Amino acid sequence: MNFLHTADWHLGQTFYQYDRYEEQQFFLNTLLQLLETEAIEVLLISGDVFDTANPSVAATKQFYHFLHQATERFPHLQIIAIAGNHDSPVRLEMPQPLLENTQVHLIGHIKRNEIHEIDYDALILPLYSKGEIVAYCLAVPFLRLGDTPKTDDFSDYGKGIATFYQEITERALAIANGKPLIAMGHLHASGAELSEEDTAERPIIGGMESISPSSFPKALQYIALGHIHKAQALGDTHIRYAGSPIPLSFSEKHYTHQVVTFSIENGQVQGIKPIPLPIHIPLLSIPERALPPEEVLHLLTALPEATSESAAPYLEVKVLLKEPAPELKNSILKTIANKHVRLARIDVRYQQQNKTQQTVLQSELTLNDLQPYEVLQRVYENKYHEPLPDFYKPLFEEAMGLVESEE
């Protein structure tokens, strides 16, 4: 049985002012080709199918059209998609009644029975090959605080996640009768590597709420993770982040974007293989580190002239200032007017002197650069002149979960 693991599609993302439908469709077309060339029987999508809890009509249609194409071209393909923290569990599961006679499973919610116990059986899915069960998939979506089992410390989110995986694995072992177990998850595992400028997902959960890779039960032969956009293995090669298929921020432009394939042979996971993905529209930073305006404008004049032969890269311009420069944007736009780029972002940093007379750079942030919890942190610090206490994190996550559920 051949598997393909992918995650963090973020369909419907607006990259600054640019729609990314064309890039996302390029990836989905590539994915369809890989399903054929790699003879994939199980497609695992580990969360963040959409970029927001209320995706656009175009993004929703794009996902449904992909499901239609995949199931029509590959009738025996099993597709399992779990909700990530960006997804609305309700919206992700919405078409499930229409898919009851298919092999497509969309898992958004943690269900509970009449006595409020977690319904683990609803998340343990048999995987078939030629009519026989070959393995079982533990399809665990993004877990909010109220989704996890009660522990000694109810506010310990990481401990709750670890307990959830322990309990669902114990239940799966009782069902599987020796068959291999494959797990899915959308979470922050400690030790995951990020670039220094990558803050895309870190503020959503935070380090104190992460789970140690060693907390996953040993009985799980492969753990297909989503949430961190940099593709990587965590310690053991079978615990994997597939990463985002396209760069979702300029901090991801040097990531290797990929999917991961593996197979089950004779009851064992084998042949774990990352497959790099082509990038349809590249991201370009000029310069790589902020420089004074006159040097930046000189570098911009060297960019190639506009052409219709290929898609123009997204451009990030990094500028170092000593004081505000009202005409900076106009100067940049004039310089690149006929260049083969599309301006996405001007990253302005101010040169300051600290108490030890060392030069420090202060970034000029916009709301595009911030996540909701980070906004709360900054507002609190500005008002009370001290860091936001840690106990607000689970409360904030719970509140955000209630808002998404109402949507």
Side-chain angles (χ1 to χ4, degrees):
M1 175 174 280
N2 296 329
F3 292 74
L4 188 147
H5 168 207
T6 178
D8 296 284
W9 293 2
H10 288 266
L11 299 180
Q13 187 204 34
T14 299
F15 193 63
Y16 298 92
Q17 71 270 32
Y18 299 104
D19 178 79
R20 309 196 78 180
Y21 184 93
E22 180 183 338
E23 296 168 84
Q24 300 284 12
Q25 192 57 52
F26 180 82
F27 158 65
L28 294 176
N29 292 341
T30 302
L31 182 57
L32 288 170
Q33 295 173 5
L34 289 173
L35 293 176
E36 181 174 1
T37 57
E38 300 293 323
I40 300 301
E41 298 166 80
V42 181
L43 172 63
L44 306 175
I45 309 171
S46 297
D48 281 356
V49 175
F50 298 107
D51 190 57
T52 66
N54 188 25
S56 66
V57 172
T60 304
K61 285 184 175 179
Q62 189 174 39
F63 180 54
Y64 294 166
H65 184 59
F66 169 79
L67 294 180
H68 172 71
Q69 286 182 300
T71 53
E72 186 177 59
R73 286 180 58 178
F74 314 108
H76 300 296
L77 177 67
Q78 297 158 89
I79 301 176
I80 305 173
I82 60 171
N85 58 291
H86 281 253
D87 296 311
S88 163
V90 173
R91 287 186 175 273
L92 184 67
E93 290 186 350
M94 196 174 294
Q96 192 61 56
L98 300 175
L99 302 170
E100 287 183 356
N101 295 323
T102 71
Q103 298 184 90
V104 178
H105 305 275
L106 306 178
I107 309 296
H109 284 103
I110 301 300
K111 299 176 177 62
R112 292 180 180 267
N113 59 25
E114 61 277 2
I115 58 175
H116 303 292
E117 294 176 335
I118 297 173
D119 184 4
Y120 289 120
D121 288 4
L123 306 176
I124 302 172
L125 307 176
L127 303 176
Y128 293 91
S129 180
K130 299 178 181 179
E132 294 186 3
I133 297 176
V134 173
Y136 284 84
C137 179
L138 284 56
V140 182
F142 175 72
L143 298 173
R144 293 176 170 82
L145 190 59
D147 294 328
T148 59
K150 292 183 178 179
T151 61
D152 296 337
D153 184 359
F154 181 68
S155 64
D156 190 334
Y157 179 73
K159 187 174 182 180
I161 294 178
T163 302
F164 191 103
Y165 276 93
Q166 292 289 342
E167 292 187 359
I168 193 173
T169 302
E170 290 174 7
R171 177 58 185 160
L173 288 170
I175 295 173
N177 194 27
K179 301 293 185 183
L181 301 181
I182 307 299
M184 302 175 70
H186 192 91
L187 50 82
H188 187 174
S190 59
E193 182 183 345
L194 303 170
S195 75
E196 292 182 359
E197 297 180 352
D198 188 350
T199 59
E201 298 298 348
R202 198 166 3 191
I204 294 176
I205 297 180
M208 69 172 290
E209 295 172 341
S210 62
I211 179 175
S212 170
S214 63
S215 298
F216 289 112
K218 300 298 183 183
L220 302 175
Q221 290 203 28
Y222 186 91
I223 302 170
L225 296 177
H227 184 60
I228 302 299
H229 294 171
K230 184 174 184 178
Q232 58 194 283
L234 297 176
D236 297 325
T237 58
H238 72 288
I239 305 176
R240 293 257 175 176
Y241 282 107
S244 57
I246 67 173
L248 298 167
S249 68
F250 281 99
S251 64
E252 299 178 26
K253 66 180 182 292
H254 295 307
Y255 288 176
T256 299
H257 299 275
Q258 62 183 42
V259 297
V260 182
T261 61
F262 63 95
S263 63
I264 290 179
E265 298 180 21
N266 300 320
Q268 297 294 321
V269 167
Q270 301 181 19
I272 299 174
K273 180 180 68 171
I275 299 180
L277 296 169
I279 299 300
H280 187 55
I281 299 179
L283 274 62
L284 180 65
S285 294
I286 301 291
E288 283 293 336
R289 294 186 179 275
L291 294 174
E294 58 276 11
E295 296 183 49
V296 172
L297 294 175
H298 177 71
L299 292 172
L300 293 177
T301 59
L303 289 170
E305 298 296 317
T307 174
S308 59
E309 295 179 0
S310 60
Y314 296 117
L315 174 65
E316 173 189 47
V317 180
K318 295 187 175 184
V319 186
L320 179 62
L321 297 177
K322 294 182 180 179
E323 58 186 13
E327 295 300 316
L328 175 64
K329 184 174 182 179
N330 288 336
S331 299
I332 291 173
L333 289 173
K334 183 178 179 180
T335 304
I336 65 172
N338 297 315
K339 303 298 184 180
H340 189 57
V341 291
R342 56 185 95 184
L343 180 64
R345 177 176 186 251
I346 300 175
D347 180 11
V348 175
R349 296 178 183 266
Y350 291 97
Q351 193 171 17
Q352 298 180 334
Q353 298 291 329
N354 62 16
K355 293 180 180 180
T356 62
Q357 299 302 307
Q358 291 180 326
T359 301
V360 295
L361 300 183
Q362 180 179 351
S363 176
E364 180 179 81
L365 294 174
T366 68
L367 286 178
N368 285 325
D369 302 310
L370 300 175
Q371 296 293 336
Y373 187 72
E374 191 174 355
V375 175
L376 175 62
Q377 287 177 307
R378 290 173 180 269
V379 170
Y380 187 95
E381 290 173 4
N382 289 336
K383 184 173 183 179
Y384 297 106
H385 308 291
E386 62 181 32
L388 179 69
D390 289 337
F391 67 78
Y392 280 106
K393 287 186 177 181
L395 297 175
F396 180 81
E397 288 297 326
E398 186 175 2
M400 290 293 289
L402 291 173
V403 170
E404 292 180 1
S405 296
E406 290 175 0
E407 290 178 349

